[in-house]
Amino acid sequence: MTAKPRLLLATVLIALLFTGCEKAEGVYSAKKKIAEVYTTRTGTYMSQNEETGAWENVDYAEPRYKSEEWTWDRGKLYSIKYTLRDGYSAGTDAFSYDGALLVEKHNRDNSSETVFSYLGKELQTIEFYLDGSLYSSTFLKHKDGKIVDATTHFYSMKKHLDPRCLEGALLFAPYTAYRLANSKDAPPDAAQEELLSERIAIEWTDDNITSVTSYYDGKAQGWWSYTYDDKKNPMRNFWAKSELSCVSVPLYGSVNNLLSAKMVYVGETLESYSYSYEYQGSDYPTSCTCTMQKKQGNYYPVKETTVTEYVYK
């Protein structure tokens, strides 16, 4: 099978505009369709002064820029074109369907492909290909129509530092995603042989995911917890988008919108997120503000605020 989706991790909450009432996990029917997305980002990180050796706060700000263009064909999402803040292309996702179900996501620019398989309307497997080779497979289990367990097997880690690897392969592997994002060592490559696996257990309260526990090498390694507002999450069931954070699974699975999320490892909070939304005479958000704070290494926190604006057709 040839390879093809995209490179860039989408901005957190980019798909906040899909209806959340469909039970079919592969159905993406938008009542109000995104045409463009704009992103603004500010933050603070710690850097060591080369002259004094002291650690100092460094502020940064990225100007507002158009980060995505969405194209529709007869009510179905046809493609998403991604653009970096310097104006360069970050590739284009093209979506393929079997009836109403999304079955493939291609990105020729970035030589990757994600394949989705179903039993009825329940998502069963996700296969991620990179440069023509199978990178990972995810197998899902359901209970009462909800995903309660997911196991991801990784077959090749040769390109584990390539941003393309932090894609659909890691949607259900948050601990592996955290390790790779923070430049942790990966096992040596052995093409098409399983190198490692991660399993997550998902707990629900009514129709919201309230916690996720990650098991890596058979041991519980990370714990995620979430809180919500009382409004419907329009991103529900859009499993074809992924973010490099602990918020991916509840963003796609829960009926309400996230207000907070955090990751705990060995009793210490490593990542935390808070959200606020703006609405202008519509049930759909015109913007989302996400503030993320994470700890890097043993010394310093990083704080970043991302404002995502949505323009509709």
Side-chain angles (χ1 to χ4, degrees):
M1 180 174 291
T2 57
K4 305 164 183 166
R6 73 171 170 99
L7 174 153
L8 187 68
L9 294 171
T11 313
V12 172
L13 285 175
I14 191 54
L16 266 183
L17 316 155
F18 281 83
T19 56
C21 57
E22 295 283 356
K23 284 191 175 181
E25 289 160 354
V27 175
Y28 310 105
S29 175
K31 292 182 179 179
K32 193 170 185 179
K33 299 174 177 60
I34 307 169
E36 298 174 344
V37 177
Y38 291 82
T39 301
T40 307
R41 188 173 289 111
T42 59
T44 303
Y45 65 94
M46 293 289 289
S47 180
Q48 191 170 26
N49 188 302
E50 294 182 357
E51 295 182 358
T52 65
W55 289 90
E56 301 173 345
N57 285 319
V58 178
D59 296 326
Y60 61 92
E62 298 178 0
R64 180 178 182 268
Y65 68 100
K66 183 166 70 174
S67 54
E68 303 190 12
E69 292 184 10
W70 295 45
T71 303
W72 299 82
D73 181 18
R74 298 181 181 180
K76 292 180 180 178
L77 180 61
Y78 176 75
S79 67
I80 301 177
K81 178 182 178 182
Y82 301 93
T83 304
L84 301 174
R85 60 187 174 90
D86 57 8
Y88 287 98
S89 172
T92 300
D93 280 343
F95 302 95
S96 300
Y97 298 83
D98 180 2
L101 296 177
L102 174 65
V103 292
E104 292 185 0
K105 180 176 68 172
H106 301 263
N107 194 310
R108 291 182 173 84
D109 302 90
N110 302 324
S111 298
S112 58
E113 178 182 25
T114 308
V115 179
F116 306 88
S117 300
Y118 302 85
L119 179 61
K121 293 183 178 181
E122 289 185 347
L123 185 60
Q124 298 292 302
T125 62
I126 302 173
E127 294 180 320
F128 180 69
Y129 294 83
L130 189 59
D131 294 330
S133 298
L134 180 63
Y135 183 83
S136 73
S137 298
T138 298
F139 301 89
L140 307 175
K141 294 181 180 179
H142 294 74
K143 182 179 180 181
D144 298 328
K146 299 172 182 175
I147 297 173
V148 295
D149 190 278
T151 299
T152 300
H153 302 283
F154 293 88
Y155 306 107
S156 174
M157 300 297 286
K158 181 182 295 183
K159 301 183 180 188
H160 70 279
L161 295 180
D162 189 323
R164 293 176 298 171
C165 296
L166 304 177
E167 239 280 355
L170 300 175
L171 170 59
F172 289 105
Y175 181 71
T176 301
Y178 177 82
R179 286 173 56 85
L180 297 185
N182 289 277
S183 302
K184 302 297 183 183
D185 293 334
D189 182 68
Q192 302 307 310
E193 296 180 7
E194 182 182 337
L195 298 176
L196 55 89
S197 65
E198 178 175 350
R199 180 177 76 85
I200 62 171
I202 302 171
E203 295 186 11
W204 298 75
T205 299
D206 297 324
D207 289 324
N208 287 325
I209 295 172
T210 50
S211 68
V212 170
T213 302
S214 174
Y215 296 87
Y216 184 86
D217 287 342
K219 298 180 181 180
Q221 299 283 4
W223 294 263
W224 288 260
S225 60
Y226 313 98
T227 64
Y228 298 87
D229 63 15
D230 58 358
K231 296 184 179 180
K232 288 187 176 181
N233 170 21
M235 185 177 169
R236 193 183 189 194
N237 296 326
F238 192 34
W239 297 100
K241 248 187 182 302
S242 54
E243 287 80 21
L244 180 61
S245 70
C246 62
V247 301
S248 302
V249 175
L251 283 178
Y252 300 136
S254 298
V255 69
N256 296 126
N257 293 313
L258 279 170
L259 289 178
S260 67
K262 69 176 181 178
M263 171 193 176
V264 176
Y265 174 64
V266 193
E268 184 177 16
T269 299
L270 297 184
E271 294 184 3
S272 63
Y273 300 78
S274 61
Y275 301 88
S276 62
Y277 308 91
E278 289 187 5
Y279 300 84
Q280 294 181 3
S282 171
D283 292 334
Y284 290 84
T286 54
S287 70
C288 170
T289 299
C290 172
T291 299
M292 176 273 294
Q293 188 158 351
K294 66 179 180 178
K295 184 174 182 180
Q296 288 189 345
N298 295 319
Y299 344 79
Y300 54 93
V302 173
K303 185 175 182 179
E304 184 172 83
T305 298
T306 301
V307 179
T308 306
E309 303 171 58
Y310 310 100
V311 177
Y312 300 91
K313 294 178 63 175

